[in-house]
Structure formats: C-alpha cells, structure tokens
Amino acid sequence: MGFPDSMTESLTELRDSLHGDVLGPSDSEYERARLCFNLLIDRRPAAIARCADAGDVATALAFAQEHDLEIAVRGGGHNPAGHCVVDDGLVIDLSRMRRVEVDPDARLARSEGGATWLDFDAATQARGLVTPGGVVGSTGVAGLALGGGIGHLTAQYGFTCDNLVGAELVTPAGGVIHANDEQTPELLWGLRGGGGNFGVATRLTFRLYPLSTVVGGRFEYAGDGVREALRTFRNIDALADDDLSCQAQLKVDETLSPALTVAPCYTGTEEDPEAYRALRSAPGLVSDGVRRHDFLDQQRVFDPGYGVDRNYWKGHFVRELSDELIDLLIVSMGALGRPPGAVLIESLRGAPKRIDPDGAALGYRAAAFNVSVMASWTNPALDDEHIAWARETAAAIEPWSVSGGYANYMQADEPLERVRAAFGPESFDRLRVLKSRYDPANVLHRNQNIPQL
Ligand SMILES: Cc1cc2nc3c(=O)[nH]c(=O)nc-3n(C[C@H](O)[C@H](O)[C@H](O)COP(=O)(O)OP(=O)(O)OC[C@H]3O[C@@H](n4cnc5c(N)ncnc54)[C@H](O)[C@@H]3O)c2cc1C
C-alpha cells in the first residue's frame, strides 16, 4: 500500500525527531512489528514509531493528532483484541523501552513501558525478588498490570495492579505526569485496572517480595478421570491457604477425550503439601511435572508461541465452580467436533480478597474463579465456527457470572455494558471522570475503552 507524498514527508520528519526509529510498510521489519499474538488480527498501520523514551512518546502522540492518525499503543502485543495495532494509523511501539531497574533495599522495581514479564522476572529474580505477574514471558508488563493481572502468585500477593505503587504517564496532550499515592491517588487507583485509557505509561513501579523457588509445574489428567480431577482442583482451592495459587486448563484431544492441566504454585515450606497429595491421587493423572524449581521455571509452565494461531476469547468471573458448571464445561469442549481451544480457570482466592477493594478500580474481587473460554485455531476458514463456539460456551456460563468478563482477555466486540460490569457502575463512573481529566478527546481509545463524560 502506498502513502501520499505528504505523508511520506511527514514520516521522514517524525523519523528525524525521534531517538527511536519509525517503520513504514516498505521497511523489512514492518511485517514482524505489526504482528499481534492473535493472528486473527491483521492490520497495516501507516507507521510504527518505536519510541526510545518518554520524549519520543510525547512526539509520536503529537504527530498522530496533528496528522489525524488513529493511535494504537503497543506493549507486548498480547491483547487478544489486537488493540496494539491499527489500520492506517500510528502505532506507538514501546518494545525498545524494556529496561527494568530493581532497588532491593526499597523492594521496588521500575519497569519501562514496553518491558515483558521475561524482562521483569529476569531482573527481579537476579535479586531473589518477585511481583505477581502474568504466566507467559512475552506478555507486556504494562498492558497486563493496567488491566489487573492474574498469575502464579495471585493468592500470595494479589493482582499485579495491587502491587503497582507508581507510574509515569505521557498524556495525549504531551504532559508527563506521575501517578502515586501522595499526589495523585485517584489516578493511581484508576491505573489499577482501568487500562491504557489515561496516558501512555513509560514507567511503572511495583512492590517486590523475596521469593526464589516454588513447588509448581503441571499435573496432567486425561480421559474419564478429568471430571473428578477438576472437582479436586476446585475442592483443594477452596481449602488452600494463601501460599497456593492454582490454575486449570481444560481441553480435548483429537478424539475429543477430555484433557486437563492443573498448574499450581506453592510457596510454603513443605515439599509435598496436602493439596498436592489430593491432586496426585485424583483419577486420570497421566503426568506429574510438579516439583520444587526456580520461579523462572514456573514462569515457563505455559509457553505458547507468539503469532502462531487465531484466538477469540470470552469469559466470566464466576461465584463458584459447581459440579453442574464443571459438567457443562466438559460437554462444551466436545461440541465443535474438533478441539476448539481451551477453557482457562484461574482461582481468585487468597490475597485479592484481603486487599482493600477501594485501592483499585478493578471490581471482581468477590468472584471465586475467572473462567475464560479461549477458542484457538489456525485455519481462517474456521473463524466463524470457533468464534461461535466461544460465544455459545461463554453464554452458557453466564448464570454463574458475578460481573462482566476480565478486561485483559476481552475481544474488541464486547459491548460497553460488559466493560462497565467488570468494574461496577460506581467505579466505572469514577474512571470516566479520570478519562475526562487526562484524555478528554478519547485519543487513546484502542483499549477496553472508558468513554469520557
Ligand atoms: C498468551 C497470553 C498470556 C496471557 N497471560 C496472562 C496472565 O497470565 N495474566 C493476565 O492477567 N493476563 C494475561 N494475558 C492477557 C494480557 O494481560 C492482556 O492481553 C494485556 O493487555 C497484554 O498486554 P500487552 O502489553 O502484552 O499487550 P498489547 O496488545 O501490546 O497492549 C494491550 C493494551 O494495553 C495498553 N498498553 C500496553 N502497554 C501500555 C503502556 N505502556 N501504557 C499504556 N497502555 C499500554 C494498550 O493500549 C493496549 O490497549 C495473556 C494474554 C496472552 C495472549
């Protein structure tokens, strides 16, 4: 695709004014740089500004507004909705801003806006420290933290955003503002769940905890035992202390026989806690990969390739994982007649329930689990079928829902009501006030958007 001469000249101007670089469609790195985790998204931006610092971000924001280009902000590129890339617009790409500085005495980490969890964990683990983050290394720290953050240490330390103690933001007007508890507590509250709505985060500061090894990995179950194994997962989760986080992933194999992965992460002192004994004796266990290992190994328990398949996700925070819901999920996995993807079940027990709910905008602390239907496939001809499967399965879960779905897993087609429900009406209105203050023209709308008032 070609661009008018005036745009080509303007891009040269942008190139000259950045410390970072600018990719256009004719650059060899453009194809890789526009790629999302989700292959369902195939967009061609006018340009990708790979910013090197906060000044570059301000310049790119000003350039886009001056030239009427829609803006997308790219961290790790993982958002399933593809918010990080926009047709014919400008991508503000933070992938060159990935430095993570650790202050072991203050137990704080300062992460640049484009760092991934791999960058973050490598830096913090070098000091034997950790913050609860995402479970896949290539996910962006900022995107995940600003939308909540559920992972292997949720029960122990809360959501990622609960541990966000400060941020540096460049607003669409070009100002650099600092969010912290002392001067801008309302903004910090909004950043804990409200996503990239208020500015481009060039730096985020997180609280850290000492932790080097965990007892974790994967238990795999297959066949008829899966139903009972999933019940065991639910039962041990209900009784566990805060030193155990647990996730489960339900799938089917090529013959449509159920398969279950349970990925626990225990940080207590025992080598073989009671919960693990129950999981080891559950029916259908075919592989036991749970052992003491480095936290960095735990962060590789799920390691999907980037940009290899098409994804459509939809889910609900649920009040309970009843026997009836478990049965429904297992039956749903066979409904398409071929492996449709997975259902991810993330426990929200533990620290999230004890943390002051008024400290963060996100609003699903009361839920027991986050149940996400994750269709994934490779053949474009199957798009409609897999999307329909995800929608139908998510609709069937709705009777157990306590609020809207998890903003970080939402597709772009979710209605505003679902976004509102994920926060609750009061918090949503507070977020709208913040939006009006920091981005009154809704320049940053490629996200789970909070409309201005
Ligand atoms: C394979 C995979 C694994 C995942 N694992 C987890 C998990 O374990 N736990 C969990 O809670 N979620 C998880 N997620 C969901 C993830 O948290 C969200 O998709 C999140 O938006 C990804 O952030 P990103 O920076 O990688 O994405 P991007 O697509 O680059 O950005 C997503 C959104 O965040 C905004 N954004 C990103 N960086 C900034 C910034 N610096 N300043 C302002 N706005 C910014 C963008 O505007 C965009 O709207 C996972 C997603 C995938 C695909």
Side-chain angles (χ1 to χ4, degrees):
M1 184 176 169
F3 291 98
D5 286 350
S6 59
M7 177 57 79
T8 309
E9 271 169 38
S10 302
L11 286 182
T12 305
E13 215 180 285
L14 179 64
R15 252 182 206 118
D16 292 344
S17 56
L18 293 188
H19 294 114
D21 57 355
V22 178
L23 300 174
S26 57
D27 289 302
S28 61
E29 290 175 70
Y30 174 87
E31 292 300 328
R32 178 72 185 85
R34 74 180 184 88
L35 187 69
C36 294
F37 175 87
N38 184 1
L39 274 193
L40 196 57
I41 314 296
D42 180 15
R43 301 194 187 122
R44 304 188 68 80
I48 300 170
R50 293 198 296 196
C51 299
D53 52 34
D56 278 3
V57 171
T59 304
L61 281 167
F63 177 88
Q65 291 173 83
E66 197 183 315
H67 292 86
D68 233 355
L69 292 172
E70 204 177 348
I71 293 171
V73 178
R74 182 190 185 91
H78 268 234
N79 197 281
H83 289 314
C84 68
V85 65
V86 55
D87 272 331
D88 304 324
L90 182 71
V91 174
I92 298 184
D93 180 332
L94 304 171
S95 61
R96 292 183 58 166
M97 297 174 61
R98 291 168 56 172
R99 212 173 14 209
V100 180
E101 290 165 7
V102 180
D103 180 343
D105 298 327
R107 291 208 179 147
L108 292 174
R110 286 181 200 85
S111 167
E112 283 192 309
T116 63
W117 285 103
L118 200 59
D119 303 321
F120 189 95
D121 291 333
T124 54
Q125 279 293 280
R127 304 296 194 131
L129 295 166
V130 76
T131 211
V135 302
V136 172
S138 51
T139 313
V141 170
L144 180 140
L146 296 174
I150 306 167
H152 290 309
L153 296 172
T154 301
Q156 288 88 340
Y157 308 121
F159 299 120
T160 308
C161 69
D162 292 330
N163 295 282
L164 179 70
V165 296
E168 176 188 86
L169 291 190
V170 182
T171 65
V176 175
I177 49 173
H178 293 92
N180 55 49
D181 257 334
E182 294 76 41
Q183 288 134 341
T184 44
E186 183 70 2
L187 178 58
L188 186 58
W189 170 87
L191 291 177
R192 292 179 179 144
N197 270 288
F198 314 115
V200 179
T202 44
R203 190 161 289 138
L204 299 106
T205 306
F206 295 93
R207 198 178 295 126
L208 299 174
Y209 307 86
L211 183 76
S212 294
T213 67
V214 302
V215 185
R218 299 163 69 121
F219 291 115
E220 309 280 0
Y221 304 84
D224 292 341
V226 160
R227 174 175 282 104
E228 200 49 44
L230 197 44
R231 289 180 180 185
T232 305
F233 158 80
R234 182 237 3 241
N235 296 344
I236 64 110
D237 186 73
L239 297 174
D241 291 328
D242 291 4
D243 52 14
L244 177 69
S245 289
C246 217
Q247 306 195 349
Q249 200 180 50
L250 183 63
K251 289 189 174 181
V252 285
D253 67 15
E254 291 300 328
T255 68
L256 301 186
S257 179
L260 176 73
T261 301
V262 174
C265 179
Y266 170 75
T267 55
T269 51
E270 292 175 59
E271 292 303 314
D272 186 25
E274 197 185 327
Y276 286 9
R277 293 199 289 279
L279 286 165
R280 285 197 164 101
S281 56
L285 184 70
V286 290
S287 164
D288 177 350
V290 172
R291 61 190 185 285
R292 180 166 291 282
H293 57 189
D294 291 343
F295 179 69
L296 287 177
D297 289 327
Q298 180 67 19
Q299 289 292 75
R300 290 187 204 104
V301 163
F302 297 109
D303 211 0
Y306 187 95
V308 293
D309 51 17
R310 307 165 84 78
N311 284 267
Y312 186 93
W313 299 357
K314 201 172 175 78
H316 294 279
F317 296 110
V318 299
R319 73 180 67 85
E320 58 168 355
L321 195 59
S322 63
D323 288 352
E324 201 187 343
L325 178 53
I326 287 174
D327 290 350
L328 182 151
L329 293 176
I330 291 174
V331 170
S332 301
M333 292 307 298
L336 198 56
R338 77 176 79 86
V343 171
L344 177 66
I345 305 168
E346 296 164 303
S347 166
L348 305 178
R349 175 190 42 76
K353 304 275 183 285
R354 284 185 287 94
I355 290 168
D356 177 8
D358 294 334
L362 61 75
Y364 42 84
R365 283 177 203 279
F369 295 95
N370 182 28
V371 178
S372 306
V373 182
M374 297 174 151
S376 67
W377 67 103
T378 52
N379 182 354
L382 301 178
D383 285 359
D384 289 348
E385 283 180 42
H386 280 261
I387 291 170
W389 173 80
R391 287 183 177 149
E392 280 159 23
T393 307
I397 300 169
E398 211 165 334
W400 286 270
S401 173
V402 285
S403 60
Y406 182 29
N408 268 345
Y409 295 167
M410 282 183 182
Q411 302 298 143
D413 58 5
E414 291 284 8
L416 190 63
E417 277 54 48
R418 285 261 295 167
V419 184
R420 185 198 302 268
F423 294 104
E426 265 176 47
S427 292
F428 193 73
D429 287 347
R430 265 172 85 178
L431 288 168
R432 292 189 68 187
V433 172
L434 276 174
K435 180 73 175 179
S436 304
R437 188 177 313 156
Y438 294 105
D439 182 17
N442 204 4
V443 170
L444 299 172
H445 57 261
R446 288 257 159 196
N447 43 37
Q448 289 310 336
N449 197 233
I450 313 273
Q452 71 275 42
L453 287 171

